[in-house]
Amino acid sequence: MGRVNHSEFAAFLKSRRDRIRPADVGLPTGPRRRVPGLRREEVAQLAGLSADYYTELERGRGAQPSAQVLTALARALRLNGDERDHLFHLADRPVPPVTHGPAAQVQPALLGLLDRLATTPAQVITDLHQTLVQNELAAALVGRPPAVRGPAASFVHRWFTDPDARALYPPEDHPHHSRVFVADLQAVAARRGGDTEVRRMVAALRRHSEEFATLWDTHDVALRRTDHKRVVHPALGVIELDCHSLFSEDGRQRLLWFSAPPGTEGAAQLELLSVIGTQDMTADETSTSP
């Protein structure tokens, strides 16, 4: 396990687990609860790990946890930035870069709602469409986020600069998504009031994409609240879904979730998605922020 500090790593996990109340993460509080915070199996469930594996970690045993496991634990245990970095240090893993500024940490209210959406694809993104966290069904539907920083972390940026990003939607739907993305970015730019990050993104996109520049000059403005999407999945084909958005109070983050009316083909495909999970997703596929 390399230079992992077994005892400190285990003690830190337990201390963070003890401080979280079930109600904080949408779990019921029963009369037989004998621990001050969450049970081990509850943390494992929130992090998408097996209960046995998490138990071994908290006992200071087992293999060195991967960066993906550490990230999942940080989310499940509601770690702040310093605590997250400390967890990576204890596990002898490089601390991954994070988004700076107000959007660096997922807002607790949105994270709490995400934890309750275990049976539908859902993820939290920034107002610039950078994926912050997603559940397993969202990863199975749209892929995991790319390990990049800067403008390329934004799906809007990749949409207009990377042709591969457009594989998520059928080609005939691309003009619609381009219009919606640009109108949404117009609204974000106005709300942020000349924010440097937005200005740089807009300038870069105007230079690299004639389509973006043309749409930007229409000055159409509309936050993307709901939309009907056709998502191309590598195993299930085209899935017709409704995409809903819930905005944080400051507008800097959004909870997105996908649904389909009962009895529709889309609903049946979502059920299949929960079965196959990410097993058919290739290793180099990256997430989108729809």
Side-chain angles (χ1 to χ4, degrees):
M1 204 166 163
R3 297 189 302 277
V4 178
N5 191 324
H6 292 257
S7 59
E8 289 296 325
F9 184 81
F12 186 64
L13 285 180
K14 185 178 186 305
S15 70
R16 301 305 89 182
R17 174 170 64 86
D18 288 346
R19 72 176 182 176
I20 301 176
R21 298 297 178 264
D24 296 338
V25 294
L27 296 173
T29 302
R32 295 185 178 182
R33 185 171 291 272
R34 297 178 180 178
V35 295
L38 298 180
R39 300 186 179 100
R40 286 173 176 168
E41 58 268 24
E42 291 170 337
V43 174
Q45 177 185 353
L46 291 172
L49 307 173
S50 74
D52 289 342
Y53 177 69
Y54 177 78
T55 298
E56 289 296 295
L57 289 178
E58 202 173 286
R59 288 175 176 171
R61 304 171 185 170
Q64 181 184 26
S66 67
Q68 183 179 350
V69 167
L70 295 173
T71 298
L73 287 172
R75 178 178 71 85
L77 293 169
R78 302 296 196 268
L79 303 188
N80 62 32
D82 291 335
E83 291 170 332
R84 168 184 171 273
D85 292 353
H86 185 61
L87 185 71
F88 273 79
H89 288 311
L90 291 176
D92 192 34
R93 290 287 187 186
V95 177
V98 296
T99 304
H100 297 288
Q105 298 294 321
V106 182
Q107 298 197 11
L110 297 185
L111 190 56
L113 288 172
L114 178 68
D115 287 334
R116 290 169 169 81
L117 296 174
T119 60
T120 188
Q123 58 187 21
V124 177
I125 68 171
T126 71
D127 54 356
L128 296 182
H129 293 254
Q130 300 160 329
T131 302
L132 297 177
V133 65
Q134 59 185 174
N135 63 19
E136 287 302 305
L137 278 178
L141 179 67
V142 300
R144 299 192 185 279
V148 295
R149 300 183 66 178
S154 164
F155 183 64
V156 173
H157 184 276
R158 298 197 302 277
W159 179 261
F160 289 102
T161 60
D162 181 3
D164 290 341
R166 300 198 172 199
L168 182 68
Y169 302 125
E172 57 269 28
D173 295 351
H174 291 178
H176 164 75
H177 291 296
S178 293
R179 290 192 301 271
V180 172
F181 279 135
V182 174
D184 185 270
L185 186 57
Q186 283 274 14
V188 171
R191 181 184 53 76
R192 286 207 188 185
D195 179 274
T196 301
E197 184 182 19
V198 178
R199 289 205 317 269
R200 288 176 177 172
M201 176 178 288
V202 171
L205 288 176
R206 288 183 68 93
R207 289 193 304 269
H208 290 97
S209 171
E210 181 179 348
E211 179 191 21
F212 177 87
T214 299
L215 289 171
W216 188 261
D217 289 339
T218 66
H219 300 284
D220 290 341
V221 180
L223 283 174
R224 195 173 202 174
R225 294 182 173 87
T226 61
D227 202 357
H228 186 76
K229 297 176 180 290
R230 298 194 302 159
V231 177
V232 179
H233 187 271
L236 301 177
V238 177
I239 308 175
E240 291 202 29
L241 300 168
D242 294 317
C243 180
H244 313 273
S245 298
L246 178 66
F247 294 76
S248 62
E249 188 173 352
D250 63 3
R252 295 293 295 268
Q253 295 182 9
R254 310 171 185 186
L255 172 65
L256 302 182
W257 71 97
F258 300 86
S259 65
T264 63
E265 183 179 3
Q269 288 170 305
L270 283 184
E271 289 186 13
L272 284 174
L273 185 68
S274 67
V275 175
I276 66 174
T278 58
Q279 64 186 14
D280 290 304
M281 307 296 285
T282 59
D284 61 350
E285 283 180 313
T286 56
S287 171
T288 63
S289 298

